[in-house]
């Protein structure tokens, strides 16, 4: 990706505080129930992320945390919205199933703003969906292989009225699309090729010949689990090499420490859902 000056665009986000965050079960390779979570530190780090976003001029809505749902802090998994249409989540694992209703309630409170569709197919929201409004006329990238059923891609396409490109994830360490690929602006992405099947790598190379390519160390540092406003790229403090790469491509890296959330298998993007009204 060649260097050009990047421009930010104000965004609206949804976050949920880690008031009940623990690692009491293991549903991805990063979770270890024997490692304790520092709840106070997790909340402090989450607040730092929220303040970072608001200081950059973005609007952040807060979804109330619910007892018994320790993974609600990963709010990106609860739905996927495009131009006011919301495709809801249906979680694979029963431990997270009730999160879907909490997200649906948020959108249902504003029926004049959001058109909510409850899914029939298993999917985990922005964990496995990404939208690029200026790429190829506006496309959705969609991951499958671990959490989201590929049938959800066809369902989302019908609901959202946008072309959905299916991408197969093959490495369990990168179980959601947002751990293997990130949207940098309305037309550019960064991704770790080996997280995808050979065929999906060819699709990505054709769609995004100028993509910023990450390596395994970037992905393992959750450097692809980032949030970008088109200029500022918010990523965790461990992803130093990824920070250098996005800076070289003309973006401004902003690092935040989310060490506690990484214990549950997530980082910046997992904690932030973008609301596209």
């Amino acid at each position: 990706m060649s260097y050009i000056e990047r421009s930010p665009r104000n965004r609206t986000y949804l976050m949920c505080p880690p008031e009940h965050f623990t690692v009491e079960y293991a549903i991805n390779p990063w979770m270890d129930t024997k490692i304790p979570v520092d709840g106070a530190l997790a909340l402090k780090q989450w607040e730092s992320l929220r303040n970072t976003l608001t200081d950059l001029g973005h609007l952040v809505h807060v979804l109330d945390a619910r007892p018994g749902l320790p993974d609600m802090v990963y709010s990106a998994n609860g739905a996927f919205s495009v131009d006011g249409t919301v495709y809801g989540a249906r979680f694979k694992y029963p431990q997270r199933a009730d999160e879907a209703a909490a997200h649906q309630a948020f959108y249902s409170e504003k029926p004049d703003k959001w058109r909510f569709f409850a899914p029939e197919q298993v999917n985990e929201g922005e964990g496995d969906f990404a939208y690029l409004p200026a790429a190829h006329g506006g496309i959705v990238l969609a991951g499958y292989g671990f959490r989201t059923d590929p049938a959800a891609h066809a369902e989302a396409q019908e609901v959202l009225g946008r072309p959905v490109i299916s991408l197969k994830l093959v490495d369990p360490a990168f179980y959601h699309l947002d751990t293997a690929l990130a949207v940098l602006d309305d037309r550019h992405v960064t991704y770790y090729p080996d997280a995808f099947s050979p065929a999906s790598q060819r699709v990505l190379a054709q769609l995004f010949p100028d993509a910023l390519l990450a390596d395994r160390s970037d992905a393992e540092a959750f450097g692809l689990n980032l949030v970008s406003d088109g200029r500022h790229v918010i990523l965790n403090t461990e992803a130093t090499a990824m920070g250098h790469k996005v800076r070289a491509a003309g973006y401004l890296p902003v690092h935040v420490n989310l060490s506690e959330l990484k214990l549950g298998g997530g980082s910046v993007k997992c904690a932030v859902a973008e609301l596209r009204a």
Side-chain angles (χ1 to χ4, degrees), residues 25 69 89-102 124:
Y25 49 76
L69 296 175
R90 185 176 180 185
F91 288 87
K92 176 178 179 178
Y93 290 103
Q95 294 95 329
R96 300 195 66 185
D98 289 343
E99 293 179 41
E124 299 200 351

Side-chain angles (χ1 to χ4, degrees), residues 20 22-28 31 33 66-74 77 90-102 124 147 264:
H20 308 289
T22 63
V23 179
E24 58 189 38
Y25 49 76
I27 57 174
N28 68 60
M31 302 176 84
T33 58
R66 297 189 180 185
L69 296 175
D71 283 343
M72 263 191 80
V73 64
Y74 303 121
N77 302 156
R90 185 176 180 185
F91 288 87
K92 176 178 179 178
Y93 290 103
Q95 294 95 329
R96 300 195 66 185
D98 289 343
E99 293 179 41
E124 299 200 351
R147 295 293 189 88

Side-chain angles (χ1 to χ4, degrees), residues 2-19:
S2 60
Y3 182 93
I4 60 173
E5 186 67 21
R6 310 292 177 178
S7 299
R9 174 165 56 83
N10 286 343
R11 313 290 176 116
T12 301
Y13 298 117
L14 178 66
M15 298 179 65
C16 180
E19 294 174 356

Side-chain angles (χ1 to χ4, degrees), residues 12 69 72 80 93 116 118 127 132 140-141 167-169 204 220 255 265 268:
T12 301
L69 296 175
M72 263 191 80
F80 176 60
Y93 290 103
F116 186 90
L132 291 102
V140 174
L141 302 179
L167 301 168
K168 185 176 182 179
L169 298 163
L204 285 167
E220 288 182 339
H255 290 278
V268 177

Side-chain angles (χ1 to χ4, degrees), residues 13-18 42 45-47 49-50 53 60-63 71-77 96 103 126-127 178 225-227 256 258 261 265-274:
Y13 298 117
L14 178 66
M15 298 179 65
C16 180
Q45 292 177 344
W46 179 90
E47 289 173 343
L49 174 59
R50 181 185 60 179
L53 294 171
V60 177
H61 293 282
V62 177
L63 183 66
D71 283 343
M72 263 191 80
V73 64
Y74 303 121
S75 59
N77 302 156
R96 300 195 66 185
H103 283 266
E126 277 197 329
D178 68 7
N225 197 244
L226 60 81
V227 168
V256 294
L258 290 182
L261 292 192
S267 190
V268 177
K269 177 56 195 161
C270 288
V272 180
E274 184 169 351

Side-chain angles (χ1 to χ4, degrees), residues 106-265:
F106 171 83
Y107 295 104
S108 298
E109 289 173 356
K110 304 173 181 66
D112 56 327
K113 187 172 185 178
W114 303 107
R115 299 178 300 278
F116 186 90
F117 289 83
E120 295 183 4
Q121 305 299 329
V122 172
N123 81 91
E124 299 200 351
E126 277 197 329
D128 274 324
F129 289 99
Y131 182 51
L132 291 102
H136 308 283
I139 60 172
V140 174
L141 302 179
Y144 73 97
F146 297 102
R147 295 293 189 88
T148 293
D149 192 306
H153 299 179
E155 186 177 53
Q157 181 168 274
E158 289 302 307
V159 168
L160 301 171
R162 298 290 190 279
V164 175
I165 310 298
S166 294
L167 301 168
K168 185 176 182 179
L169 298 163
V170 296
D171 188 327
F174 312 112
Y175 58 95
H176 272 156
L177 183 69
D178 68 7
T179 65
L181 178 147
V183 174
L184 292 170
D185 55 40
D186 288 350
R187 66 174 70 247
H188 295 106
V189 301
T190 177
Y191 66 95
Y192 169 47
D194 286 349
F196 298 91
S197 70
S200 292
Q201 290 182 42
R202 292 194 294 272
V203 169
L204 285 167
Q206 181 174 339
L207 290 173
F208 305 103
D210 60 346
L212 176 59
L213 299 183
D215 59 29
R216 187 174 187 89
S217 62
D218 296 323
E220 288 182 339
F222 281 69
L224 292 167
N225 197 244
L226 60 81
V227 168
S228 175
D229 63 10
R231 167 63 171 159
H232 307 97
V233 176
I234 300 92
L235 65 171
N236 75 76
T237 51
E238 294 182 24
T240 53
M242 193 66 199
H244 294 317
K245 289 177 181 178
V246 299
R247 185 183 294 277
Y251 302 93
L252 182 63
V254 180
H255 290 278
V256 294
N257 190 342
L258 290 182
S259 60
E260 295 305 295
L261 292 192
K262 186 179 178 182
L263 297 176

